Amino acid sequence: MNQIGAENQTSITIDDAMSESNELDSCYNCFQHFVTNGFSKIDESSFEGDIIKTSFFSSLSRNPQISYRTKILAIHKNSNTSQCWQIRAHSFRVYAKAVADTRGGDANIKYAWYGASKNEICETVMHGFSWRRHSISVSPAKHGLDSVLCSGVDGSGVRHLLLCRVILGKQEVVREDSSDQFHPSSMDFDSAVDDISSPTRYIIWNTHLNYNILPCYILSFEAPPYLSGLTEPKTIKPKTWITFGTLISILSPFLDHSQRASLEEQYTNYLGKKITRPQMIQRVRAIAGNQLLSAVVKLYTNKVQFWT
């Protein structure tokens, strides 16, 4: 048992070597689609990036197990200047003014989260929200967990949320089982909620889609594979271990002199406990590169363990 515990500290797994490389490839393709359709990536540490990040994690606070294991990968801002998007933005402003004029000067505009599969998010970015439904539900900014639960995980474990501005106007209460309703019950209302005093869902009717809801940001993130936050998965995927010493000896023929020297220096620092295991993994990645590291470690996927 002690040997295995020590080995786990001085080894790198297939998951360690592959996770970031696969994540970057898959994320790049999806992020490129967002960029192509007018969304630009913003720095998480910027003023608006920090506000969005803080709001997102605050909205997960009622389930700290999920919040703690959730990682933001990117935030993209709607910077679309195409004629189609300009028309949609103009329609949003015109409708907001109309609602404000009708409702005593307040259009009741809020920010809200919308969770869906990657494909639906991409379709929405390209063409707007689908009209093939009675309504859509979005989550108030402080109740993001509900939209996280609705988001679909793609093949690389990434999820996406839209942060939208929504014109709520005057709201009526609609029960979850009111599946036959597809428009406001009267001209006195503009949208619906599940609870007037403390809503966890805003309901936007089919008749109001695409001019009273405007996507502003896309937040891409990783969350635990289980989202109940209550139980861990019962099955654990076997891991293949390769020691850093063995890995370095295999990588060496593919590296130049300075890279080999740098790798050996980092390994010496690691053995001397000057750097941690996660730091060692990151430095191996930085020196060897994800592509070479992944190719080398893949050779060992059918092995059980390696010891020096």
Side-chain angles (χ1 to χ4, degrees):
M1 289 296 290
N2 290 338
Q3 183 179 21
I4 293 175
E7 185 62 25
N8 289 353
Q9 291 299 313
T10 59
S11 304
I12 184 171
T13 69
I14 299 298
D15 289 341
D16 291 329
M18 295 295 293
S19 60
E20 184 168 314
S21 178
N22 291 341
E23 173 188 294
L24 291 175
D25 289 343
S26 177
C27 287
Y28 175 80
N29 292 334
C30 190
F31 295 166
Q32 188 60 36
H33 180 89
F34 297 156
V35 172
T36 301
N37 284 279
F39 281 72
S40 55
K41 187 175 180 180
I42 64 172
D43 192 335
E44 287 180 42
S45 62
S46 67
F47 180 71
E48 62 182 331
D50 186 61
I51 289 176
I52 292 169
K53 180 173 65 176
T54 301
S55 175
F56 174 66
F57 282 113
S58 176
S59 72
L60 302 182
S61 60
R62 62 189 171 104
N63 199 316
Q65 291 185 27
I66 291 178
S67 176
Y68 178 74
R69 298 186 63 183
T70 296
K71 173 186 176 184
I72 294 177
L73 301 179
I75 302 173
H76 287 80
K77 180 179 182 178
N78 188 350
S79 305
N80 201 318
T81 58
S82 69
Q83 185 177 15
C84 179
W85 270 101
Q86 292 305 308
I87 291 173
R88 289 174 64 180
H90 178 71
S91 298
F92 182 88
R93 291 192 295 269
V94 169
Y95 185 69
K97 184 179 184 307
V99 172
D101 290 344
T102 305
R103 306 302 179 200
D106 183 9
N108 194 14
I109 299 175
K110 304 287 188 182
Y111 275 101
W113 301 103
Y114 178 72
S117 67
K118 178 181 74 174
N119 289 341
E120 185 176 343
I121 294 289
C122 289
E123 285 293 314
T124 301
V125 167
M126 289 179 65
H127 306 296
F129 288 93
S130 171
W131 290 75
R132 299 188 301 270
R133 59 179 75 180
H134 290 169
S135 64
I136 65 168
S137 292
V138 294
S139 304
K142 65 180 181 180
H143 288 289
L145 180 59
D146 296 321
S147 284
V148 168
L149 295 172
C150 293
S151 65
V153 60
D154 64 21
S156 61
V158 180
R159 297 172 181 267
H160 308 278
L161 293 180
L162 284 174
L163 181 59
C164 307
R165 292 181 73 202
V166 293
I167 303 168
L168 298 173
K170 188 175 181 180
Q171 302 162 295
E172 62 180 316
V173 175
V174 172
R175 300 192 313 272
E176 268 191 74
D177 58 359
S178 300
S179 57
D180 57 335
Q181 185 171 345
F182 57 92
H183 55 71
S185 61
S186 75
M187 295 294 290
D188 293 330
F189 301 107
D190 304 293
S191 65
V193 290
D194 57 344
D195 186 301
I196 286 290
S197 60
S198 182
T200 61
R201 289 192 308 141
Y202 299 145
I203 300 167
I204 311 301
W205 301 114
N206 173 294
T207 51
H208 294 69
L209 286 180
N210 292 325
Y211 58 85
N212 75 336
I213 178 168
L214 188 70
C216 298
Y217 299 91
I218 301 171
L219 186 142
S220 303
F221 62 100
E222 287 180 330
Y226 61 98
L227 279 180
S228 66
L230 300 176
T231 58
E232 295 279 354
K234 293 184 179 180
T235 58
I236 301 176
K237 181 180 177 181
K239 291 188 176 182
T240 302
W241 297 96
I242 178 172
T243 63
F244 286 123
T246 302
L247 178 62
I248 291 170
S249 67
I250 297 171
L251 285 171
S252 290
F254 302 97
L255 305 175
D256 61 32
H257 176 73
S258 62
Q259 288 175 312
R260 288 196 298 271
S262 179
L263 202 56
E264 288 168 2
E265 179 185 1
Q266 297 303 326
Y267 187 45
T268 300
N269 289 338
Y270 175 73
L271 293 177
K273 297 185 178 180
K274 295 180 179 178
I275 59 175
T276 64
R277 180 175 177 274
Q279 288 175 322
M280 180 64 187
I281 293 172
Q282 290 298 324
R283 293 178 189 187
V284 171
R285 282 196 182 119
I287 295 168
N290 280 324
Q291 187 173 3
L292 175 59
L293 179 61
S294 298
V296 167
V297 179
K298 265 184 177 179
L299 297 174
Y300 294 85
T301 51
N302 294 323
K303 305 294 183 181
V304 178
Q305 283 185 340
F306 287 83
W307 285 282
T308 50

